[in-house]
Amino acid sequence: MKRKKAFRFFGRNIELFTLSLPAVIYIFIMSYIPMFGVVIAFKNYRYDKGILGSEWIGFKNFEFLFKSETAFRITRNTVLYNLGYMLLTTVAALTVAILLNEIAKKWLKIYQTALILPFFLSWVVMSYITQAFLDHDNGFINSWLASAGMEKISWYFKAEYWPYILNIVHLWKAIGFSAMVYYAGILGIDGELYEAARIDGAKRMQMVTNITIPQLTPLIIILLILSIGNMFRGDFGLHFFIPNNNGMTYATTDIIDTYIYRALSEIADVSMASAVGLYQSFVGFVLVVTANLIVRRINEDNSLF
C-alpha cells in the first residue's frame, strides 16, 4: 500500500523530480561516490600501492592527531570562529533585513547591490582589499595611525588581533547574502498582520518584536541548524588568504581546513588529512542531528526534519 502511494506521489510530481534530477546526479557523483575514499583515513596510504593495497592501520591516524597539541588548537579555533561567525552574522543580517524593509523602495536596489557585492568577490580579492587596510607601510589604518602620531602596528605578525579582523572580514562578505535571505522571509509575511497592528496603535519596534521576528523564527532556526552542521568545517579561503598563511598568526588563525591543506602540501600525509576530514564530517553530522532533535523537542514545526 505504501509503495503504491509512493508511486502515485512520484507520478503527480514527475515534473519537479525531473527538474531536480541534474542536482541529484551532481550530488551523487561529487559527494556519494567519493565516499569510498574514506577508507584512506584507516590506512597508511602509499601512492604506489593505491587505496586497496595500502596497509591497514586502524585508528592510528586519529591517535596521532589527537595526541598532538595541534588538535586542540585547530579544533578550538574552528569551533569558536564558526560560533562567532554564526551568531554575529545572524544578528547583523536580521537587523539589516528589518532596516531594508523600512526604507523607501526607490533606494532599495542601491542598498541591496552595495550589500551583496562583497559576497561575489573571491577570498583572493578580499585579501588584497584587507591588505590595503592592514599593510604595515602603506595600509590605510597604519597611515592614519602615523598621521595621528601613534605607532604603526604589524598586523600580520600580531596573532592577538586576528580574531577581531577575521570576524569583521567575514561579516563584511557574508552579511549581504544573509540579509537578502531574511528580507525575502519578511516579504513573505502577511501584510494584514502589520495593518492590524497599526490600527491597534503599535509602533514600528513593537511590530518588529511581535510580528517580524516571531514570523521569521522558523527560517532563523533552520539556517542556524545548517550552520551548526558546519561548525567543524571552517572557511579555508578566509583563514588562508586573509592572514596570508603567515606562521606568526597560526595560534589564532589556524583551523582544521588549513591544517589539512598543510598536511597535504608540506608533509604529503594523505592518510592523516583524510582522518581529519572524516572527523570533521562525523562531528558535523552529529551536531546537525542533535540540534534538530533539540528543536523538535521544543517545537516540532520549526525542526528541519
Side-chain angles (χ1 to χ4, degrees):
M1 192 68 180
K2 289 183 179 180
R3 189 175 297 178
K4 289 182 179 179
K5 286 183 178 180
F7 278 115
R8 285 199 212 100
F9 177 78
F10 181 81
R12 287 196 302 267
N13 298 279
I14 185 66
E15 295 87 357
L16 294 176
F17 282 110
T18 303
L19 287 172
S20 66
L21 191 60
V24 172
I25 294 173
Y26 174 82
I27 292 174
F28 178 74
I29 294 174
M30 302 301 294
S31 299
Y32 283 90
I33 293 178
M35 285 181 69
F36 168 74
V38 167
V39 72
I40 296 175
F42 304 95
K43 291 194 170 192
N44 181 21
Y45 180 73
R46 288 181 51 176
Y47 292 98
D48 58 336
K49 293 186 177 180
I51 295 177
L52 297 178
S54 297
E55 179 189 0
W56 180 272
I57 58 174
F59 290 93
K60 287 186 178 179
N61 288 318
F62 295 91
E63 290 176 9
F64 177 80
L65 170 67
F66 291 118
K67 285 181 180 179
S68 66
E69 295 180 3
T70 308
F72 172 76
R73 185 189 72 196
I74 61 176
T75 301
R76 177 203 63 194
N77 289 351
T78 304
V79 172
L80 291 180
Y81 273 119
N82 281 326
L83 186 62
Y85 298 155
M86 179 177 64
L87 297 178
L88 186 61
T89 303
T90 299
V91 173
L94 188 58
T95 303
V96 169
I98 293 171
L99 292 175
L100 285 174
N101 194 46
E102 298 295 329
I103 65 174
K105 299 298 181 184
K106 64 178 181 179
W107 299 106
L108 187 60
K109 297 294 183 183
I110 297 173
Y111 285 111
Q112 286 179 325
T113 303
L115 281 169
I116 205 168
L117 182 61
F119 178 78
F120 295 103
L121 298 178
S122 70
W123 282 120
V124 177
V125 175
M126 295 292 285
S127 69
Y128 283 111
I129 297 173
T130 305
Q131 191 171 5
F133 281 87
L134 303 181
D135 184 71
H136 183 268
D137 297 321
N138 302 310
F140 174 78
I141 297 178
N142 276 338
S143 297
W144 179 82
L145 291 174
S147 65
M150 292 183 280
E151 187 178 350
K152 292 183 178 181
I153 300 173
S154 299
W155 301 100
Y156 289 95
F157 294 94
K158 302 286 186 179
E160 62 270 22
Y161 294 115
W162 281 95
Y164 306 102
I165 295 171
L166 290 174
N167 273 282
I168 292 170
V169 174
H170 179 272
L171 181 63
W172 178 29
K173 195 173 192 297
I175 189 172
F177 179 80
S178 299
M180 292 304 107
V181 173
Y182 289 124
Y183 180 66
I186 292 174
L187 293 179
I189 298 174
D190 189 354
E192 293 182 359
L193 295 174
Y194 293 105
E195 290 297 329
R198 290 191 189 96
I199 294 172
D200 290 339
K203 297 180 180 179
R204 288 183 183 274
M205 197 61 197
Q206 290 175 320
M207 287 190 284
V208 168
T209 55
N210 294 294
I211 298 176
T212 305
I213 294 179
Q215 291 291 317
L216 288 179
T217 298
L219 176 62
I220 295 171
I221 291 175
I222 288 173
L223 293 177
L224 285 176
I225 291 174
L226 294 175
S227 298
I228 289 172
N230 289 320
M231 190 75 74
F232 269 68
R233 196 170 297 280
D235 193 326
F236 172 80
L238 171 62
H239 287 263
F240 183 82
F241 291 110
I242 301 301
N244 285 339
N245 193 29
N246 193 330
M248 298 291 290
T249 63
Y250 281 167
T252 57
T253 62
D254 202 18
I255 57 172
I256 295 174
D257 299 77
T258 53
Y259 179 78
I260 293 174
Y261 172 80
R262 288 200 306 277
L264 285 171
S265 62
E266 295 178 10
I267 60 177
D269 194 337
V270 177
S271 298
M272 193 175 68
S274 300
V276 178
L278 180 59
Y279 163 62
Q280 277 184 296
S281 301
F282 177 75
V283 175
F285 171 76
V286 172
L287 286 173
V288 168
V289 173
T290 304
N292 190 74
L293 287 175
I294 293 172
V295 172
R296 285 189 66 182
R297 289 289 181 90
I298 298 172
N299 188 340
E300 188 172 353
D301 293 334
N302 291 338
S303 63
L304 184 60
F305 51 87

